[in-house]
Amino acid sequence: MFNPLRFLWRVNSRFKSWDEEKIKRYQRKQTKKLIHYASKKSKFYSTFYNNYDLTDFSNLPFINKQLFMDNFTQLNTVGLTREECIDHCLEKEQSRDFSEYYRGYLVGMSTGTSGNRGLEFVSKMEAFLMQLLVFFRFPFPKTRKIHLAFILRVFSPGFGHDGRKIRITYVSPLDTIEAIVKKLNALNPNLLSGPPSVLQVLARAKKEGSLKVSPLLIISYGEVLSSNVKKIVEKDFNCSVVEVYKSSESFIALPCKDGKLHINEDTTLVEVLDKNNEPVEPGKPGFVVVTDFIKRKTPIIRYKLNDLLTIDPEPCSCGSKFRVIKEVHGRADDIILGKKIGSDELQFILPDYIRRSIISSSESIEEYNAIQTSPENLTINLQLVANAKKLVKKEIERTIQQSLERIFSKHDSKMPELDFRYVSLKQDFDKKLRRIQRTFEEDFLN
Ligand SMILES: [Zn+2]
């Protein structure tokens, strides 16, 4: 029989006392069990792993969103079809009431930035385990009752809750900012969570006085949290901002009491790999491959995400040996590519360099984005504050040009042509905010 207290004890003791060897041993055992289960219960995996040695995990083929969605009907182990799940979600989207179970499962759907739909579904037990993991491991502030307002673009199954100690209310970011502020004022939560682009707008509302809530802690997820936005939100709300890292495929990482983002090593196996699929050493960026130990109804084994991250080579001050994510850089297509000087090779430049160059160039920049259409061209869209002086544009362009020249030269790459545009950049809350984007495809990671 499942015992939540035993689970609590385990969740905490694993995080606090397991060393690297114990983590690895546990992950080996779990992956072995999972592969055995999936190759027996999932039609997709049993065919997919044909001709592979199931005991050789690091040589098993990757899956990705495309493969997952194309084979959804055969992949899940409970006999749901892709069509019925999508139909259910479309119906729910009209009412925006996602709490209902569909044939005993919580089903969620994301539209994804590329427009292709992603499905996520979990059983009641899987949702419960994920909730417990968060409740037991997340460093909630010491208070009598937690009331968390959860601003979420896409409904993720299993996260609404109204208990004695913890209440979680879902707030849709589809409303206008005025409506969100009004709703938050009425809810008066002591914890606030949302994507950084929404948090930034709320920070402005807080500064201007229309938003009255004073959370004890703010949680950011869903988009890259740049150090600049983190600073603004922390200042205006006068509290700390921590990150959680979750994809539809897995609950990847949670913050510790010292604010560092630790991988949930006991529920997700995270591989950070280079373009030849070899593990990269901590401190260097690589792409993320996840294997989830909780989800059995839709087994996630070596699922290649579109994200890049860097593991922190330094151990965390909290004492846990669970790996710390130093930085989530964003999607692979947020990475800028430079053409190497004297060759045709491409060199990747992490988006944070570009972000910092732009934002630090002037106080007059209110919003911005940079779009790279080819290795030779980079368009920079700027929205300036209303009272910006005329001369300021020239100054901004000069500063950004110089700072980007330094960055491209450091990366041994040719400086692209910059195209500055002054536009009004309205943030659509229904879409993920991507300040840095590359529109041409290049398989620099594959
Ligand atoms: Zn820590």
Side-chain angles (χ1 to χ4, degrees):
M1 215 359 226
F2 179 75
N3 182 341
L5 279 176
R6 204 172 140 78
F7 187 81
L8 163 72
W9 180 79
R10 278 200 201 143
V11 162
N12 284 326
S13 81
R14 285 168 183 165
F15 187 71
K16 284 184 190 145
S17 65
W18 277 13
D19 59 13
E20 219 175 299
E21 190 39 51
K22 229 169 183 174
I23 293 168
K24 286 206 169 127
R25 207 184 316 145
Y26 181 80
Q27 289 177 335
R28 274 198 298 271
K29 204 170 121 195
Q30 291 298 317
T31 42
K32 196 175 153 192
K33 268 200 223 167
L34 176 62
I35 291 163
H36 179 76
Y37 174 86
S39 57
K40 288 262 173 310
K41 300 274 180 180
S42 159
K43 284 196 190 98
F44 167 74
Y45 281 107
S46 70
T47 323
F48 195 51
Y49 288 160
N50 233 337
N51 304 323
Y52 282 94
D53 175 4
L54 295 185
T55 59
D56 187 4
F57 179 74
S58 60
N59 275 319
L60 288 179
F62 299 112
I63 58 164
N64 55 26
K65 189 173 178 185
Q66 179 93 42
L67 270 174
F68 181 85
M69 284 307 291
D70 286 353
N71 298 285
F72 186 84
T73 306
Q74 287 79 36
L75 187 143
N76 78 76
T77 58
V78 293
L80 292 180
T81 70
R82 183 175 112 131
E83 288 67 31
E84 64 182 315
C85 289
I86 290 179
D87 285 349
H88 167 78
C89 289
L90 290 176
E91 208 175 286
K92 290 289 110 190
E93 214 148 84
Q94 301 295 324
S95 57
R96 291 203 80 78
D97 168 22
F98 300 96
S99 53
E100 206 177 291
Y101 284 85
Y102 177 70
R103 289 175 54 186
Y105 301 98
L106 282 162
V107 188
M109 183 168 71
S110 66
T111 47
T113 30
S114 49
N116 48 350
R117 288 179 181 132
L119 276 173
E120 178 188 5
F121 86 71
V122 291
S123 68
K124 281 181 195 173
M125 184 50 112
E126 290 169 350
F128 183 56
L129 286 176
M130 278 194 271
Q131 277 186 359
L132 287 180
L133 178 76
V134 177
F135 293 167
F136 293 157
R137 196 166 280 166
F138 189 86
F140 285 113
K142 302 254 173 300
T143 175
R144 221 155 36 87
K145 182 165 178 170
I146 297 291
H147 183 189
L148 167 66
F150 202 44
I151 306 173
L152 200 57
R153 193 175 299 107
V154 184
F155 178 76
S156 184
F159 280 89
H161 186 80
D162 194 1
R164 215 155 38 88
K165 292 288 282 177
I166 295 178
R167 181 176 166 211
I168 299 178
T169 316
Y170 165 72
V171 177
S172 166
L174 284 180
D175 289 331
T176 59
I177 181 69
E178 290 76 18
I180 297 174
V181 166
K182 206 171 150 195
K183 197 165 183 184
L184 288 175
N185 283 340
L187 287 170
N188 193 25
N190 54 13
L191 254 76
L192 182 62
S193 76
S197 55
V198 178
L199 295 175
Q200 198 184 351
V201 176
L202 291 175
R204 204 175 299 155
K206 172 75 181 170
K207 198 176 168 187
E208 287 164 6
S210 59
L211 182 62
K212 312 276 185 231
V213 301
S214 297
L216 301 164
L217 185 72
I218 291 178
I219 305 147
S220 160
Y221 54 78
E223 291 163 1
V224 172
L225 174 69
S226 65
S227 50
N228 171 60
V229 170
K230 185 173 190 239
K231 238 185 257 165
I232 293 174
V233 177
E234 287 188 332
K235 185 166 162 266
D236 291 345
F237 278 104
N238 193 23
C239 72
S240 307
V241 175
V242 293
E243 260 186 291
V244 304
Y245 181 35
K246 179 189 179 302
S247 71
S248 334
E249 293 73 33
S250 197
F251 209 120
I252 300 171
L254 281 165
C256 68
K257 62 179 174 51
D258 293 353
K260 294 281 177 68
L261 189 57
H262 287 265
I263 292 174
N264 294 318
E265 305 274 18
D266 51 346
T267 56
T268 310
L269 170 64
V270 174
E271 298 172 80
V272 186
L273 305 176
D274 67 12
K275 59 182 175 186
N276 302 316
N277 301 328
E278 295 295 329
V280 297
E281 51 188 284
K284 295 206 170 131
F287 63 81
V288 188
V289 176
V290 293
T291 298
D292 188 274
F293 300 148
I294 291 181
K295 288 185 179 177
R296 288 295 163 107
K297 310 302 172 194
T298 48
I300 303 285
I301 307 171
R302 301 204 94 200
Y303 188 113
K304 203 176 196 179
L305 298 177
N306 198 10
D307 286 355
L308 260 91
L309 63 75
T310 298
I311 298 286
D312 200 333
E314 300 299 322
C316 183
S317 50
C318 77
S320 174
K321 298 292 182 296
F322 281 24
R323 285 173 296 168
V324 169
I325 296 174
K326 192 174 180 193
E327 197 173 352
V328 181
H329 304 293
R331 298 161 46 98
D333 45 2
D334 295 342
I335 308 293
I336 296 297
L337 295 178
K339 211 168 215 165
K340 277 203 164 176
I341 295 167
S343 89
D344 273 345
E345 259 182 72
L346 293 169
Q347 163 69 41
F348 72 84
I349 300 174
L350 295 175
D352 202 43
Y353 286 111
I354 314 290
R355 272 195 287 272
R356 267 185 271 172
S357 283
I358 299 175
I359 200 67
S360 63
S361 69
S362 167
E363 297 276 316
S364 299
I365 298 174
E366 198 167 51
E367 196 44 86
Y368 67 94
N369 64 43
I371 300 166
Q372 192 186 24
T373 48
S374 78
E376 290 82 22
N377 291 289
L378 185 63
T379 302
I380 296 178
N381 293 306
L382 300 170
Q383 175 184 313
L384 303 185
V385 291
N387 59 356
K389 298 199 178 67
K390 270 197 179 155
L391 269 175
V392 96
K393 286 186 186 172
K394 281 240 163 324
E395 182 60 26
I396 290 174
E397 289 176 19
R398 202 176 50 87
T399 317
I400 294 178
Q401 176 84 29
Q402 284 173 348
S403 131
L404 287 180
E405 269 168 16
R406 268 197 303 275
I407 286 159
F408 276 80
S409 139
K410 245 189 205 163
H411 286 83
D412 201 19
S413 301
K414 281 184 211 149
M415 175 71 184
E417 197 72 39
L418 299 185
D419 177 12
F420 289 96
R421 294 180 190 176
Y422 295 87
V423 288
S424 161
L425 294 164
K426 285 266 171 304
Q427 157 70 9
D428 182 354
F429 283 146
D430 200 24
K431 292 209 183 84
K432 222 177 208 196
L433 176 65
R434 295 168 64 205
R435 288 203 173 91
I436 312 294
Q437 260 185 73
R438 177 166 45 83
T439 55
F440 62 99
E441 290 222 12
E442 203 53 65
D443 267 353
F444 72 108
L445 282 178
N446 296 318

